[in-house]
Each structure stands twice: as structure tokens, then as C-alpha cells.
Amino acid sequence: MKKVYRRPKSLKRAAFHYCPGCGHSIVHRLLTEVFDEMNIQDKVIGIPPPGCSVFAYHYLDIDMAESAHGRGAAVATGLKRAYPDALVFTYQGDGDLAAIGTAETIHAANRGERITSIFINNAVYGMTGGQMAPTTLSNMKTTTTPYGRDTRLEGYPVRMSEMVALVKGAVYIERTAVNSPANIKKTKKAIRKAFQAQIDDLGYSLVEILSPCPTNWKMNPLESWQWVENEMTKEFPLGLIKDATRTKDSTGKRDAD
Amino acid sequence: MKKVYRRPKSLKRAAFHYCPGCGHSIVHRLLTEVFDEMNIQDKVIGIPPPGCSVFAYHYLDIDMAESAHGRGAAVATGLKRAYPDALVFTYQGDGDLAAIGTAETIHAANRGERITSIFINNAVYGMTGGQMAPTTLSNMKTTTTPYGRDTRLEGYPVRMSEMVALVKGAVYIERTAVNSPANIKKTKKAIRKAFQAQIDDLGYSLVEILSPCPTNWKMNPLESWQWVENEMTKEFPLGLIKDATRTKDSTGKRDAD
Amino acid sequence: MLLEQKTVLVKEMLIKTIFAGFGGQGVLSMGLNLSQAAMSEGKHVTYLPSYGAEVRGGTANCTVAISDEEIASPVASSPDFVVAMNQPSLVRFQNQIQSGGLLFINSSITEPVVSRGDIEVIEVPASDIAEELKSPKSANMVMMGAFSKKTNLVLLSTLIEVLKNTFKTKKMLIDINKKALTAGYDLF
Amino acid sequence: MLLEQKTVLVKEMLIKTIFAGFGGQGVLSMGLNLSQAAMSEGKHVTYLPSYGAEVRGGTANCTVAISDEEIASPVASSPDFVVAMNQPSLVRFQNQIQSGGLLFINSSITEPVVSRGDIEVIEVPASDIAEELKSPKSANMVMMGAFSKKTNLVLLSTLIEVLKNTFKTKKMLIDINKKALTAGYDLF
Amino acid sequence: MKGYIEIDQELCKGCHICIAFCPKDSISPSDKLNANGYSPVRFNSDGDCTGCATCAVVCPDVVIEVYRG
Amino acid sequence: MKGYIEIDQELCKGCHICIAFCPKDSISPSDKLNANGYSPVRFNSDGDCTGCATCAVVCPDVVIEVYRG
Amino acid sequence: MYGNAAIGEAAIRAGCQCYFGYPITPQNELTEYMATNLSRRKGCSFVQAESEVSAINMVYGASLAGVRTMTSSSSPGISLKQEGISYLAACELPAVIVNISRGGPGLGSISAAQSDYFQSTRGGGHGDYRTIVLAPSSVQELADLTHRAFDLADRYRIPVIILGDGMLGQMMEPLEFKYDAPSELPVRSDALRGAKGRPSRIVKTFTSRPTELEELNWSLFRRYRLIEKEETTYEIYLVEDAELVVVAFGAAARIAKGAIRNARANGLKVGMFRPITLWPFPYEKISELTQTTKHFLVFEMNMGQMIEDVKLAVEGKREISFYGRPGGVIPTPSEVLRVITRLYYQKGLKTEK
Amino acid sequence: MYGNAAIGEAAIRAGCQCYFGYPITPQNELTEYMATNLSRRKGCSFVQAESEVSAINMVYGASLAGVRTMTSSSSPGISLKQEGISYLAACELPAVIVNISRGGPGLGSISAAQSDYFQSTRGGGHGDYRTIVLAPSSVQELADLTHRAFDLADRYRIPVIILGDGMLGQMMEPLEFKYDAPSELPVRSDALRGAKGRPSRIVKTFTSRPTELEELNWSLFRRYRLIEKEETTYEIYLVEDAELVVVAFGAAARIAKGAIRNARANGLKVGMFRPITLWPFPYEKISELTQTTKHFLVFEMNMGQMIEDVKLAVEGKREISFYGRPGGVIPTPSEVLRVITRLYYQKGLKTEK
Ligand SMILES: Cc1ncc(C[n+]2csc(CCOP(=O)(O)OP(=O)(O)O)c2C)c(N)n1
Ligand SMILES: Cc1ncc(C[n+]2csc(CCOP(=O)(O)OP(=O)(O)O)c2C)c(N)n1
Ligand code: SF4
Ligand code: SF4
Ligand code: SF4
Ligand code: SF4
Ligand code: SF4
Ligand code: SF4
Ligand SMILES: [Mg+2]
Ligand SMILES: [Mg+2]
């Protein structure tokens, strides 16, 4: 018999430190599958965040550098400006990208930095023990919303991707999930498109990925995968949010919308 | 004969330090007219920014406190949470609100803080000598875009109000200008509505005001007023951007959109 | 030489225990129970859980220090007692134990491959006994019973008092945990 | 007393001038011209413009220090010379001038109400003369001409050389400014 | 004359915005300078000012008071 | 048997996601523990695994290799 | 009660009305305690800010309104607060800032360290200003000093930093609260609450006249001198006859104490000096000790920061040695005992007869 | 050329490839110089960031890519960069950070001050780290030290701070550049540029093993010791026979020099010591001076910060006086002369025969 599925080449042989059922490692795998398929493993530079994925460099066999919390887009900007031949991506949690990193993300996108952001939306601060994230659902309990997120005091789940879509330098934005075979495959496609937009020198690309966090949601893995489907996608509808890759030529002269 | 126009009561008798033709002082006057008419002079607390309007407290006869650059919305949040009886507003430039203060603004709006932001968009950093602002128009020359703003490298004019409108805690957002009698009157109305939203405890309100900066635009005052009309409003269309004050009851329980 | 002896002398008044196991095994509760019991017996106590990223791997541990005097450090680099509820904990901590110390092993799910002769290994089939009691979750209390018997650090009765306090409103839990404690205590 | 004298002695080698006026009057150019002229005559020179919020009010000023030695501070709290191109500048700076110093006044638009007798006031109708020359913008150069004659800080010819350099490509401007300089120089 | 205005000559900055917006050409430039170095504008009392207050609405420095009646 | 899979017993975290998604019920839970304290799942070689690789696609820990043919 | 929770409870009992924070290990339990226990108190407010920068500026806002307010974070987050702290100090606004510090620099480690001593005592922000810095060394003291921090902040209109560390924040120890929560929350009389029945007020530092800012600096420093005089606090332990004095603060001090107990048992005349206020630093008392003590050992969980203050106090009169472990390594009492013992014999100090 | 522009031109000539900045007075001319002159250079990049926090993190990114990179700001903006600077130091990434400082604390004044001495030399960020700090005192030196800053940053893989002030940044003085721009821009060999033909690389500090972080700290400090040995720089002026030595840096030093020239003319034996590297601070040389000098006067445009370093150097062997003006007040040479004269006679120092 033929081996039809094997570990991607760009994925190091290390045991993931993530909790059982966590979405982070799926996204890691998809990234490395894309690197292998596009043959860009030796051009890619990744910027992982403080967050559960802080150790991403233990798994992805590419050049990587840690960034300060929320500053991925700024670090990637500096790196890409200094060395435009690289393919630079940030890997960021929802606390990282949508709270402390709001300004960096929006302005890097607006400048049309030729970088890609992989944005893991798990509706909580995973690493620090399950505090409210900007993306925490209304009434959802977290360690800092012990009585449920009260939208009157704590605000509403922030749809960061829709917001970023408003700036012209962002050329490709899609929201996917890693909670089913079909969604996982779509996520991979989206990641591929995002890197392609960067290779084509078009502008900023972002893939928001709804990702289960069974530990902080206090569910078993399967429940958490279902919760993504049943609850999260209601607030964060899956699908393409913006695609200006066709209307925009690579000189960037034409506007994206 | 009857005096039909006199200086507002809440406006101190001090000579403005602004350049001839500048829009800041018009907005100051409108604010004090609104304070007088709504009779809220002794309830209002203002947070002026670093920027040309840093000395706003020399003119507005109300409690005021300076804030760090960009942090107006956070300061106002703290103040309002500590003393909800106050009517709190931030006064912010486009550098202040739309660059360094991006995150503070968006998240205060999202939490639906009961505060009002008066956002002076003059397409440049006035105070520091005319550098590019997030709102600088494409190809516009500033001291940091001496060859004109190159959207491929420096990004596009950011429409902050439209972005803030996406978050649910923001209940009233309008863009006006102070470059003609009609627009000035509309601006006053908008300011009034914004404070009313706060009084009604509905959420965050924002009035973006296109404002001439003859000095840094290197125009005479009248040219600058016309430039607002002919150039700025093309990129920043005037009018109501969001009004959820009617659909939202004061318990804040009902969603704003 | 003299110096060394004196040092040991003083140290004898201070006992440090590490409880370690998988996230779900209730190792932190064991530490808390012991701490509260020791406190109510009038001792100086510190309790220090593992925290942060360490927790991510699915294992947990905590350190309890008990003394008649002020406690200098809540950290135990060479604990007097170690309670290993699973294999990785056994592997991680067995070499740190102080010479002459005690190592408690949940022998139901752990192979007692211990590589040193200067410590005493106490095998407690805690999970099995808890299973027998139809309460697999209280393996930790079985272990605590055994621990209290072997170490004499705190009285069994104090542990039971603490339990009553912890589960104030949940009478059923008090009973089952008390049973588990006693079962462990009576093992030796 | 002796001490004081010596101090003055040393200080004589260092001359500080403040140029002040409205934003549009070209006071910064006056300072730059003087600085460059002094530099090309081999002097130590510092030039310090006003900056930041100060500029907002519509007034501007700059300080030029010229010396045969290293210059300690580019700031002039008591300048030797002040050139006041408008009334507010006159008001602001006249009391700072060093005893025995010179105060140049653009008398076309300024009333020389000077309240001290220990300085010399030089009235230059700079705006009027510039008007006569059909070049209202070059009032500043008229003043520079008068300044150079009265102070002997730098040669008129050096100032003209500097002008030539500044307006390299704009021949017309050189001529008109040269005319203005000379007109000011010839006033006294 | 239906109306008239008073312009604070010391605080006017001579921006001429009021002139541009006055529907009755009732305001004119001047070339005298005030203490701040600006040329304040002046009211044409021989014009036909209606006291419409447009000038006051646009004046950035709030130096105009308007009378009507 | 059209296909089969290999599960790395030491790295499997026993999350049972693969079980939930396998269309052929070819994976089963176990209650033995590996060194990391997890109960790895095992392949039912008597099932009718098609080698569809769905399990590998969903496995968060990338511990499944799939054979078909 | 955990150290972190102890701070939270003490703050509530001190009348803290508004807490603004942002998650970061190892201080999360404090933020969570406030979310659980402050958010539902009448008139109180808990906000999880979008960043540490935001949180400190919210504190600034709440302090403007005259209430007792607080934020907490750990090392990297405290770095982000530096601008805000400088503003608080400049505007003479009281506030309590808790740093449950961790290993650095950079993202570092989440284990306990004392590497933020300079940042806390020398002002990591811009400008000439000081903050009071309190260094607790037990859970009880975390609670007590939190209460004191609020009092000091109000009394001197100054930001007060509580410099703890991951070990203190995470550990549990017996604890007794000495105060109940006040029935009415305190409000400062100089609060900005609208200009009702009084002239409007301005809080600001910006000026185009440097002499005005200079005057502010002088007035701040006059107050700082007063604080130095009134509030300097320290603990001494067996120093009377000590040939060797260990100087340590916070967690390091309790570790040192353990070592010293053993050293004494071995006949070594060792004592301890523990600054409780890191600023104002007890220079005078240490200077006094130089008359009786032969040698100083500064022991810190960092590469050597407080040692500069000890040197400034000792002024070359006695020799000073240093032992430090940075990065989040927590030294053991017996390790410190070894250091003490070695040093003791090296320097030829006299033992108990 | 203005001081600010001089830094910009010197940076370009030093091969600076990427500049990231954010407007703030009094350093805007530097940002603008880079916008005008760097943005159009081949292979170079100028970015006006959305904030100072962003700018320093862009610098971090560019430094990762191995190029010479720089940011500049003034006091409040530098406070915001503290976290980023700590990361740069931790990850051993070279970078040049210019602080054209102004009056503080808070928003303060835009006039020249030296109140950021502690922040620069003690690490305003978290963790045990140091940055080299260069303090120019003329426009020529702004240019020269900028060049040196890039060299030092690369040689020691360390962030280097240039601590200027508004006076130096805004003034114009004759100036000569000693280097031409390199024809090829330098790239460090340890750059992250994709793992082509080599194993992949990781740049990070975070660890769950404190001992790993401790090792990093030790290795940093070994390098710091080397820097102290090799790179300490200072200027001495008429100290040989001086009874009184004025210690001053940057702008204050040039003012002091003017005062000293006059003091000498009056027969007072006064000299000056000017640290050019504020870190590493020239402790040894000052310590040496205590043998010949009777009294030290520390003169700073702040409330007294460098004086601590002078005290650490002098170790109580000589008396030290302080004169400072904070908040952006720029003292005059004659004011300093008055201070010197008064002090001279108060202390009964010997004049020239
Ligand atoms: C300046 C700073 N603030 C806070 C932290 C602590 N911190 C580490 S990760 C994190 C957020 C984690 O949440 P998220 O970004 O959603 O990632 P996840 O762990 O959920 O994948 C925080 C607040 C930090 N490292 N630095
Ligand atoms: C942290 C910090 N960075 C930068 C500055 C300098 N600064 C003062 S005002 C300002 C921006 C002014 O532009 P804008 O907000 O548009 O206001 P305007 O002057 O145009 O009204 C800047 C960058 C500062 N004071 N603090
Ligand atoms: S805490 Fe959540 S996000 Fe983090 S590893 Fe565990 S499951 Fe994944
Ligand atoms: S610089 Fe522009 S915004 Fe500032 S006062 Fe002048 S005109 Fe107004
Ligand atoms: S009131 Fe109306 S008519 Fe009269 S001057 Fe003003 S704008 Fe003109
Ligand atoms: S608009 Fe006002 S300031 Fe401008 S010229 Fe008219 S009166 Fe003067
Ligand atoms: S390959 Fe398909 S059928 Fe076979 S075990 Fe995996 S999911 Fe089941
Ligand atoms: S999905 Fe993977 S890790 Fe989870 S149980 Fe199946 S094989 Fe094991
Ligand atoms: Mg998250
Ligand atoms: Mg602006």
C-alpha cells in the first residue's frame, strides 16, 4: 500500500505542547503543508506571538523570531522592509492581534505591507489561563468575566477581520475554521491564497481561523469542535471577507476597492 | 438693536493661539455653545490631546485634564467609570485618534463607553509641524511625505469613523466639517446629538470634523476652507455614518445593529 | 563537617512535599488539604502551585512547606517527600528527593522503577482502591490517607476536618472522600 | 570687582544676536545669512531657531552666536544685539538686551517705545524702504544691511556672497536682495 | 441699516474668512497692523448688513458680535 | 481492507477527534496510558478503513499516517 | 489565600474603587480576583483593558476623578506603562501599580525575578520623578503594604509601585486582614468632577515656559524629600552583633533569612537588612551599620541592581560582595548559606566563641 | 546643518538602511530628513510608524533581517519604547535609538533637558540589561557618535542609545562628515533571511527553564564587562591642576566649559570631566581624579541623576556638590560661573598665584 498521508517535511519531529483537541497544531500542520507544496520553506520567516503558540518555532522548520505581545505586524513590517525577498508571516492569537495589537494590525494592513497574518481566534486568552478576549462571545464565561461577558460593560465580540477589510492596503481576508475535515481543507486553501497574495506583491493578507480551545472553554475536545460550529460561527461567519487580489495589479497603483 | 451673536458663556476670554483660519477654534466655540444650550458646563469634563489643541483648557471654561498622546479614550474610560455622573469627552486630532490611539479608540467604542469623542481631522500632524497623518490624502505632500503620499509605501487615507462604526458599542457617528456656515451649523448639531447619546447612557459617540489647517497645507485661510470642500470631502464624505440611538434603549441590552 | 551536621539539625524542623500528577488527578487539592490541615495544627505553611506555561502540558504540581518557624522559601529543590500520581512525575521528581526522603507512588498506573537506594518508596494502588470505592476521582484522597499515616505530618482527623470545611455544602462528597482517606490510611 | 571685569573681558569675544518678528518676515533667513557669513569668515558659529509650539502663535525668532572660540551655549538670555521686526518682538526682547547692547527696530511698523537708557536703539524703516524698492518681502535684507554696518560683525561683501550661494538658481532674487542689503547699509 | 457688527480689532487675525462669507459685502480688509501683527478687518457701516450673523458663525477667532433689530 | 493507518502511540493525546470523524468506525478508544498520561486510540484492523485520510486531516497532533492501495 | 488574591482583597478593603488590568502571568489571579470581587461591588468598576498602555491611562482617568485606583501587571507590561507612570507622577495623581515581576529581559520567563529594581526605583519613564516602591516579602505583607500603598499614594499624591514577584504572587500563606472594607468609598477633594459651584480646574503639565515646569519639578522634589524623611522603612534581623550583614529585599530576603538562621546555628555572626521601601531607600540606616558591620553581602534575584544603592549608602567604608541569580532562578536558602559561609571565612570574620 | 539633520546624514553614511519613526518635537527634523533622503535611496526604507511602540518593533524586525536600522524620538516616546528596547537587548539585536530629549515628566515641555539619564543608563525597560549610551555635546559629535553608534551596535550586538536634547537637535554649527555612504549596505551574517542552505534559525528569549534565561543573562553580562573595558569614553578639560572639577555631559558640558574658561580667566583652578559614554560610565577615571581634585561639582539639566554615578565613582573620598536646572530650562554659562565661583570660595579652594 502507498502512504497517502505523512507528516509534512517542514514540520519538525517534536511532540506538540498543546492540549488535546487544540486547533493550534492543526494550523501549524497546514502551514507546513502549504510551505512544502509552494516550496517556500527556505524563504518564509515566521513571527509567533506570546500566547499558547509562543513555541511555534519548536515545530515549524523555518526561520522564526519571537515578538512582543501584539507587535507581530510591526515586527513583520520591519523585517519585510529590510529584506523584501522574504515571505513574512505573523502568527497571532485574538488577544494578540485584536486587543493589544489592534493599531499595529490595522496600520500594517493599511500600508499594504506585503505580509500575511495567521489569526487564531479561539475566543479567549489561552496562554494566560482563559481570560476574556476581544472575540469572547456575549455572555460567555471566562476567568475575567466570571458572570459571563456583559456587553454593556465589557463590549461586544470584535470582528477584527471585517474592520481590517475596510483599509485599502488589505487585499485578501478570509475567515475559516479548523473544526471539521471540510473546514480544515478550506483553511489550507485560504492560507495558500494569502501567501500567494504576498508572493504577487499585492498587499496585506489575513486568514482568521476559528480554533477550538477545549481547556479554557471547559469542554472535551469534540464538544469544543462542535461549539465552534454551533456558537462561534454565528458571531463570526465563515467565508471570504475581502478579495482584491484580482482587481489590484502588482504595482499596487490601482486601488483595492 | 439687539445683540444676536455673542461669545458663549463657557468660552473663556482668551486669545486663541491657533493660526488664522484654523478650524480648531471654531470647534471650541461650538462645544461651548452646546454646553451653554444644554446647560451642562458644570458636568462636562474634557480631555484635550497633545496636538495643536493641547491648550484647549485655556479656552473652554470646564474641568479639563491633559492626556498622553493617543490615550484620550482610555483616560475618558477611567474617568467615566470612576464618576459616571460626569459627561466626558475627548478632543483628539487625527494623529492622536487614528494613529497612536487606534486601539484605545476602537476598544472604548466597542465597550460602549458612555463618552464622546470630538475628532478633528485636518489631514496632518499640525502641532509637530505638518507630518503625514493617517488621514493625509493620497499624493499629498507633507514634511514626511515630501514627494507626496505614496499609497504603495505609506498606505491610504484611513477612514477611522467607518471603522469604528463597525463595533456595536458605538451608537452615534457623524462626519461634518467647519468650512462653511452650513457645515458649521451641522457640526454643532452633531456635537449636540453626540452628547445627548451620552446623557441617554446609550454608548460611545464620535463626531469627526474636517478642519482646515492653512499653515501646514501651505494655503491661505480661504483656500484651505475650499480645499476641505473640494478635496477632503471626496475621501471623507460628510454625513451620518451610524445612528443607533433610536434602536438602542438605555439599558444597553438591545444590540446597536 | 560540624557545620554540615548543624545545618541538617535546623532543617529537620522544615518539611517540604511535592505533589505531582496529571491535570485531572487533583494534585493541587492534595496540596491545599495538607496546607490547611497543617495551618489548623498551628504550623507555618506555604503552598506554591506550578503555574503558567508549565500547566499547558497537562501535568500539574505543587509544593507544600511546613515548619515550626517562618518559612524561607516555598520552593523545594530537594523535597523531603514526593507524591507522584503518574509516571512522568515519578521520572521528573525522583532524583530531587532528599536523601532519606519518602517517595509515594500511585502504583495502579505507575511502574515503580526507582533508581536510587537512599529513599524509601511507598507504593499505594490509589487509583485501584478508588475504583473499588466506586469513586475514581478520589484516588488523590486515598493517597492522602496513606501519606498522613506514613509521614505523621498531620493527623488524619485534621485532614477530615479540612475536608468538611472544603465541601461544606456537598455532604455526599465529604462522605466519599472521608472513606477514601480512611482506606488509604488503613493500608499500612 | 576684579572678577567681574575679567568676566566681561572674556565675554567680549562672544556676540549673540536675536532676530525676531512675524512668521512671514523672514527672520530665520536673517539668522541663517548671518551665520553663514560668519562661518565663511572663519568664526565659530551656532544658530538656534525657535521651534515647536512657540511657532504656532505666528511669531518666530532665532539666535546667532559668533565667537573666536568654541561656543558654550547657543542660547542668549542676554543678547548683545536684538533685531525686532515687529512690536511683540520689541516688547518681548528689549529688556533682555545686555547693557550697552544694540536694539534694531523695524520702525516702519513698530513704535520705538523703549524703556531703558543703557542700550542704543537703531530705527530702520525697513518695511518702508523695501516697499520703495518694490519688494516688500526683502525688508529683512534691508535690516541686515543696516545691521552689518552698525555692528561690523561681518562684512557686507560676505553677506552678498552668502546670498549668491543661497539663491544659486534664482538670479532675480539675488539682485533684489542685494539691492535691499545695500540700501540698508547705506542708511547710516 | 438692519444690523451691524463689532469686530475686536486686537484679536482679529485678518484671515478674511468673514469677508468671503458675508452676503452683503459688509466687511473689508485693512492694512493696519494690530499688536499681534495681524491686519484686522473692519465693518462697512455704509453697507447693508442684515445682521444675519454669518460672519460670526464662520469667524474662527470668535471676535465678532452681531446686532440686529 | 482498502487502507490502514498507523497511530503514534506515544504522541497520541487521546482526544478522540479522529474517532468522531472516521466514516468507517475504524478507530477505537483505549484505556491504557502512554508516558504522557494520555490514552492513545487504536486502529481497528478488522473495520473497513478506506484510507480516506479524514482522520489524518483532523488529528490535531499529526500522529496518524495513512496507507491506501 | 494566594499572594495575588491577597493584594486584591487588601485593595478592596483599602477602598479601591476602580481596577484596570490586562492579563499577564504570573499576576493573573489578581486581575481575576478583581473581576470576581470588585466588578459586582456597588460603585466599583473592573475593566480588562485592551493593553497595559490603556490600563495605566484608565488609572490616570480614574485618579483624575479622585477615587482610589489600581492596575497590576508583570515586567513587560510594566515597561509599557512607563509613559503613563511619568504622567501620573507629573500630574501628582495617586495610583497603585503592582508589578508581580518575572524573568527578563524580553519575553523572558514567567518565574520569579527581581530584575525590575532599577525600573521601579529610578523611573523607567522620562523626566525627573520618583514613585514610592514597596517590596513585600510575604503574603501577609503583600496585603499590608497594599493597604499602605493606597494611603501613601493619597497622602503624597504620588504613584506607588508594589514590587512583588511570581513566587510571592503565586504562593499561599496564612494571612490576616487588618481592615474591613470602608462603608463609603473615599474621594479626593481635588477631583475633577465638573465645575459645579467652583471655578473650572485644569490638570496638566505641558507648558511653553520651561520655568513653569522647573517649578513643578522643584515642588515634586520638596515632597520627595519629605517622603524620604517620613516614610523610609526597613527590617533588621540580628544585625546588632553581626560581622556580616546580608542586604536583600522581597522574596530574596525571606530566602536569606532562612540561610541566616542556619548560619547563626553554625556560629556565624550574620544579620540581615531588608529595605521595605526601595524608594525611599534606607541609605541612612545602612550607613549607620557600617560602624558595626565588617562586610556586606548584597543578595538579589538579578544581576546586581540594588547593590548600587547599598554602595551609595556605604560610600566605600566597608567592602560589599554580591550574589545574584537572574532570569527567574529561585535560589535556595542552603545555596545562600554556602555563599555566606564561604564569604565569611574568606573575609576572616569572627565566629561566636 | 541642524543637529537633527546631522544625525540623519551620519546614519545614512554609516549604512543605515531602515529608519522607523514617529513625529515628536524636538526631533522632527531628523524624521523629516530621513523621509526626504533615505526613502529614495536604493534598497533603503523609511516608515512613519503609527506610534513609537510600533516604530521600535519595526526596528526589531529590520534588525532581525541583519541590516543597520534606527529609530528616534523624544522623552515620552522613548518611554513607550522601553518594552521594545528590552526585547532588542534580550535578543542581542543591534539597533540605534536616538533620544532628543525634552523637559519632563509627563507631557512636559519641548525645551532641552537631561532628565532621561536614569532611563537610558539603568534600563527603563524590564529585566537585567544594558544599552550603550552616547552623549554628544556638539553637532559635530552628534554626527560622529551616530556613526560610532552603528559600529558599536553591530560589534557587540546591542542597542545603542544616543542621548541628545532639544538644544543640540535644533541648533546649527559647522560640521564635517568623516565618512561617505558605503556603496554596499552591510548585512549581518546572523540575519534571519530564510533557511536557504542552512538549518532554520530561531530568535527568542522565552523559556520555561529559568536556568536557560539565567545563562542568557550571564552571557550578556560577560559582553557588558567587555564593553566596559573597551569602550568607556570621556573628555577631560583642564583637570591636571584643578581644585574643582565640574562633571557634566552633553549640552550641559558645553555650557560648563564656557563657564570654566571664564573661571580660569579669573584664576580659579577649575576643570571639567565629561563622560561621552554614559554607559559604560567612566568610573575609573573619576576615581583617579579624586587623588588630585579637591571637590566635584556635578552639573546637569535635571534634578540630579548622573550624580549617583559620580558618587559611585568617588566613593566618599571627596565632597560632591550638585547644580541642576530641570524642566527644559537651559542654564547660561555665566549662571554656572556664578555657581562655580561661590562654591570655590565656600570650599576654600586655592586660586592661581
Ligand atoms: C506586554 C505583554 N502583556 C501581556 C503578556 C501576557 N500574555 C501572553 S500571551 C497573552 C495573550 C494570549 O491570548 P491570545 O493572543 O488570544 O493567544 P492564545 O494563547 O489564545 O492562542 C498575554 C496577555 C505579555 N507576554 N506581554
Ligand atoms: C508619545 C508621544 N508621541 C508623540 C508626541 C508628539 N506629538 C504631539 S501632538 C502630535 C500629533 C499632532 O497631530 P494631530 O493629532 O493630528 O493633532 P493636530 O495638531 O493636527 O490638531 C504628536 C505626534 C507626543 N506628545 N507624545
Ligand atoms: S489552552 Fe486552549 S489554545 Fe492553549 S493549548 Fe490548550 S486548548 Fe490550545
Ligand atoms: S498648524 Fe494647522 S491645525 Fe495647528 S493651529 Fe495652525 S492651522 Fe490650526
Ligand atoms: S451680519 Fe451678515 S451681513 Fe452683517 S456683516 Fe455679518 S455676514 Fe455680513
Ligand atoms: S473671520 Fe474673524 S478673525 Fe478672520 S478676519 Fe474676520 S473677524 Fe478677523
Ligand atoms: S483513513 Fe478514513 S476510514 Fe481509515 S481510519 Fe482514517 S478516517 Fe477512518
Ligand atoms: S485525533 Fe490524533 S491525537 Fe486525537 S485521538 Fe485521534 S490519533 Fe490521537
Ligand atoms: Mg486566543
Ligand atoms: Mg491633525
Side-chain angles (χ1 to χ4, degrees), chain B residues 69 125 131-132 143-144 147, chain H residues 22 32 36 40 48 50:
Chain B
H69 186 33
Y125 285 50
Q131 294 83 2
M132 179 185 76
T143 55
T144 49
Y147 315 108
Chain H
Y22 187 79
E32 290 163 7
T36 308
R40 297 225 153 165
Q48 182 180 321
E50 58 275 14

Side-chain angles (χ1 to χ4, degrees), chain B residues 18-19 22 24 52 122 126-127 212-216, chain D residues 56:
Chain B
Y18 300 107
C19 311
C22 176
H24 273 299
C52 281
N122 59 9
M127 164 79 140
C213 174
T215 301
N216 285 306
Chain D
R56 199 59 68 257

Side-chain angles (χ1 to χ4, degrees), chain A residues 41-63:
Chain A
Q41 180 185 6
D42 59 6
K43 274 197 185 137
V44 167
I45 306 176
I47 310 293
C52 281
S53 52
V54 65
F55 289 133
Y57 41 68
H58 288 165
Y59 314 119
L60 310 189
D61 194 7
I62 56 172
D63 279 4

Side-chain angles (χ1 to χ4, degrees), chain B residues 20-188:
Chain B
C22 176
H24 273 299
S25 42
I26 301 184
V27 179
H28 287 12
R29 190 192 79 218
L30 297 178
L31 279 166
T32 54
E33 286 178 11
V34 169
F35 299 159
D36 287 358
E37 289 170 20
M38 298 179 96
N39 194 21
I40 54 177
Q41 181 185 5
D42 59 6
K43 274 196 186 141
V44 167
I45 306 176
I47 309 294
C52 281
S53 52
V54 65
F55 289 132
Y57 41 69
H58 287 163
Y59 314 119
L60 310 189
D61 194 8
I62 56 170
D63 279 5
M64 298 195 91
E66 105 195 344
S67 79
H69 186 33
R71 316 307 174 192
V75 171
T77 295
L79 188 44
K80 183 80 179 192
R81 294 279 180 142
Y83 184 55
D85 287 349
L87 294 172
V88 182
F89 76 97
T90 67
Y91 188 103
Q92 303 184 255
D94 40 6
D96 194 74
L97 184 141
I100 192 170
T102 306
E104 285 75 8
T105 303
I106 287 176
H107 288 280
N110 186 56
R111 285 190 305 269
E113 298 296 342
R114 277 60 174 160
I115 59 172
T116 299
S117 291
I118 304 298
F119 167 28
I120 306 294
N121 178 352
N122 59 9
V124 284
Y125 285 50
M127 164 79 140
T128 42
Q131 294 83 2
M132 179 185 76
T135 51
T136 293
L137 302 191
S138 305
N139 300 316
M140 181 174 166
K141 282 189 186 164
T142 69
T143 55
T144 49
T145 55
Y147 315 108
R149 182 176 189 161
D150 179 347
T151 55
R152 202 184 127 79
L153 292 169
E154 281 128 11
Y156 300 80
V158 171
R159 295 200 192 113
M160 192 68 179
S161 292
E162 278 82 348
M163 220 174 319
V164 174
L166 289 187
V167 304
K168 289 190 191 161
V171 294
Y172 173 70
I173 301 181
E174 180 149 4
R175 185 183 289 117
T176 66
V178 285
N179 68 331
S180 73
N183 283 342
I184 290 171
K185 283 175 191 158
K186 280 187 204 154
T187 300
K188 182 170 163 185

Side-chain angles (χ1 to χ4, degrees), chain H residues 12 21 55 62 66 77 92 120 134 169 191 209 221 266-267 269 272 275 282 313 351:
Chain H
I12 291 174
E92 307 175 56
S120 315
L134 305 176
R209 286 184 299 122
F221 270 68
N266 296 338
K269 299 205 277 184
M272 184 178 78
T351 54

Side-chain angles (χ1 to χ4, degrees), chain D residues 5-142:
Chain D
Q5 268 188 18
K6 268 199 186 162
T7 310
V8 172
L9 203 83
V10 176
K11 264 196 174 168
E12 261 167 27
M13 290 182 271
L14 169 69
I15 300 294
K16 292 187 177 177
T17 310
I18 290 180
F19 297 90
F22 295 128
Q25 288 181 312
V27 291
L28 302 188
S29 322
M30 294 169 83
L32 281 173
N33 260 295
L34 176 61
S35 305
Q36 272 151 13
M39 261 185 233
S40 74
E41 290 186 4
K43 299 274 169 55
H44 287 260
V45 179
T46 66
Y47 165 87
L48 184 71
S50 60
Y51 61 91
E54 251 187 282
V55 178
R56 199 59 68 257
T59 61
N61 70 73
C62 65
T63 306
V64 177
I66 299 175
S67 174
D68 293 326
E69 294 189 15
E70 265 180 74
I71 294 167
S73 170
V75 177
S77 53
S78 43
D80 301 271
F81 308 136
V82 163
V83 177
M85 294 296 282
N86 66 4
Q87 193 76 24
S89 307
L90 175 65
V91 173
R92 178 165 169 200
F93 291 109
Q94 62 162 304
N95 290 324
Q96 297 182 20
I97 302 174
Q98 181 127 4
S99 200
L102 304 184
L103 168 61
F104 293 81
I105 291 179
N106 178 4
S107 59
S108 310
I109 59 165
T110 307
E111 281 164 50
V113 217
V114 174
S115 48
R116 35 190 294 207
D118 62 338
I119 56 173
E120 190 184 339
V121 180
I122 296 145
E123 300 183 23
V124 182
S127 298
D128 292 339
I129 296 177
E131 205 81 45
E132 277 165 34
L133 294 172
K134 307 231 164 354
S135 166
K137 289 233 153 188
S138 45
N140 61 343
M141 285 303 131
V142 174

